[in-house]
Amino acid sequence: MTKQENGAVIAGYCILIILMISFAACTSADSLKNGPVITQVNPASAGNQQPPGPVSITINSAEKLPKLNNLAPLGGGSFLVINLTIKNNDVPEGFDLVNTSLTLLNTGNGEFIPESLNAKPGIRKELGSSLLQPARIKQHENVTGKVVFDVADSTDNVLNLVDKDKNVLTSLPVVLENQAPAWSPVTVTINSARKLARVNEGGLHTRDGNIFVVLDITVKNNDVREGFDFTRSSMTLLNLESSRLVNQSSNFPDTMDRPLEKPLVMPVKIGPGEAINGQIIFRIFDSARYRLNLVGTDQKMITSRPVSFESLATTDHPLSVTIHSVEKRYTLNEIRTGPGEVFVIINATVKNNDLPDGFYFYGGSTTLRDLAGGRNLGFSFNEKKDYGQYGVENAFVLPCKIRQNDAMTGNLVFATANSDTYLLNFVDYDDTILLSRTINA
């Protein structure tokens, strides 16, 4: 790429950033009441009308290294080594992965790196499990490996996946998991995290594929002498799997007081040395991997933290589920499914590990989501006798209560879209998602 082309690309990114800030500033209060604005994290999306998601990337890990064995970076920088997975979701003829398919943008200094170092002599040998390029990724298949870039001393990097015409297909921020958090004028601590399938009180409901993420956080002003203005737009949540960003929380005083035990009331000015604590809520696509960002009034990132759902609602696993088998049927008790649908029968053992009052198991306790199509598919049919109790042998007879330390084994019945991959959620009476399992059918 020539210097002129390189400059044009950087200029394009700058123009888009200005447009994004202008758009955020012009958003009306009425429009905010309809929920947060969801945007694709894609620096080139303003001029790219491609449907999102034909090819996706997942960053498994990232680290900066001063050397790769005997190789040293040029210009006194570092090697940025990224372990990633690239999946062809919807390119029937296959996606051609070449050395220029992955580019890197330093959002701090505007440096644009048009290709990785993987093709350089000696790099592949020193890198180990290098991402093989060139390669053709067939539809619905994926490849995993490492790429390396020679970068300046900065943590503000965005990895872009581009097609042969240099259109950006998707972008992800590169998070250095092995790097100790740097000192920040304002810091955020995530005290707990949980998912909600529904928030019925206050009139808030999820759309297809969405859930509510509730975070208990502490925000401290370490060194902003004039005070830090904390608003709904100060916290953003990034879905690391879909690259979608929710650019503000859903904390509305008139609707969130009941669902949240201690909601953060915003806006508020946090004085020097002061801290605030409370809960924020986001409506976002379901995922196992999120990142919470704190931004200033200029929308520049101040600090960032990964969100962990390893234990979801409690410090332990209150509920455990073992999947024994999954079966698809087109008819059940002489009842046929609709076009493109099947009955999914999941044989499972459900155990109550740590719910002293028992686990109230009813039709609404389980939800099924089509991971391939991104659709929520509703509750089980086990409370409907024609489908559940009488139509399938050994079906769970619901409702019932599973006492602490007890377990039950049976079949869950769903009428759903035909898919290869589902997400099964178990939901408590207060709509907290206690446990999730990915099911291949």
Side-chain angles (χ1 to χ4, degrees), residues 193-211:
R194 66 173 178 151
K195 297 179 183 180
L196 293 179
R198 301 174 293 273
V199 180
N200 292 325
E201 290 187 286
L204 285 181
H205 304 276
T206 58
R207 296 184 292 270
D208 281 352
N210 282 276
I211 60 163

Side-chain angles (χ1 to χ4, degrees), residues 110-186:
E111 180 187 8
F112 178 75
I113 303 175
E115 60 182 279
S116 71
L117 298 176
N118 284 44
K120 301 295 183 183
I123 288 289
R124 181 171 295 180
K125 178 181 177 182
E126 301 294 343
L127 199 57
S129 55
S130 171
L131 192 67
L132 296 179
Q133 304 163 356
R136 172 162 289 188
I137 308 173
K138 296 180 181 179
Q139 189 175 17
H140 305 310
E141 292 188 356
N142 63 71
V143 296
T144 298
K146 295 178 182 178
V147 293
V148 60
F149 295 89
D150 189 342
V151 298
D153 189 14
S154 172
T155 58
D156 300 324
N157 294 298
V158 173
L159 181 70
N160 304 309
L161 178 69
V162 302
D163 62 16
K164 61 183 179 180
D165 298 319
K166 303 304 179 186
N167 296 313
V168 177
L169 300 176
T170 187
S171 299
L172 280 180
V174 180
V175 179
L176 302 176
E177 299 294 350
N178 67 335
Q179 181 176 338
W183 179 89
S184 174
V186 185

Side-chain angles (χ1 to χ4, degrees), residues 393-424:
E393 182 180 355
N394 195 31
F396 283 108
V397 179
L398 305 181
C400 66
K401 179 174 283 190
I402 305 177
R403 293 180 297 182
Q404 188 173 10
N405 299 321
D406 282 355
M408 291 180 62
T409 298
N411 286 314
L412 287 167
V413 184
F414 296 88
T416 175
N418 194 356
S419 177
D420 295 330
T421 310
Y422 299 99
L423 183 70
L424 177 66

Side-chain angles (χ1 to χ4, degrees), residues 9-155:
V9 171
I10 296 172
Y13 283 130
C14 295
I15 292 170
L16 177 61
I17 292 170
I18 294 170
L19 290 174
M20 290 173 66
I21 295 173
S22 301
F23 177 80
C26 295
T27 304
S28 67
D30 290 337
S31 67
L32 294 181
K33 290 184 179 181
N34 294 324
V37 178
I38 300 177
T39 58
Q40 187 79 9
V41 183
N42 183 344
S45 60
N48 179 11
Q49 301 301 317
Q50 261 186 310
V55 185
S56 59
I57 56 175
T58 300
I59 295 178
N60 306 310
S61 66
E63 59 180 339
K64 272 189 176 182
L65 300 175
K67 291 173 48 178
L68 272 177
N69 292 335
N70 296 322
L71 298 178
L74 300 174
S78 304
F79 286 121
L80 176 61
V81 180
I82 304 171
N83 183 302
L84 75 159
T85 299
I86 304 176
K87 183 178 180 181
N88 179 355
N89 300 310
D90 194 26
V91 183
E93 66 275 15
F95 177 74
D96 290 321
L97 179 67
V98 297
N99 201 52
T100 54
S101 297
L102 292 164
T103 68
L104 195 75
L105 174 69
N106 185 322
T107 57
N109 61 18
E111 180 187 8
F112 178 75
I113 303 175
E115 60 182 279
S116 71
L117 298 176
N118 284 44
K120 301 295 183 183
I123 288 289
R124 181 171 295 180
K125 178 181 177 182
E126 301 294 343
L127 199 57
S129 55
S130 171
L131 192 67
L132 296 179
Q133 304 163 356
R136 172 162 289 188
I137 308 173
K138 296 180 181 179
Q139 189 175 17
H140 305 310
E141 292 188 356
N142 63 71
V143 296
T144 298
K146 295 178 182 178
V147 293
V148 60
F149 295 89
D150 189 342
V151 298
D153 189 14
S154 172
T155 58

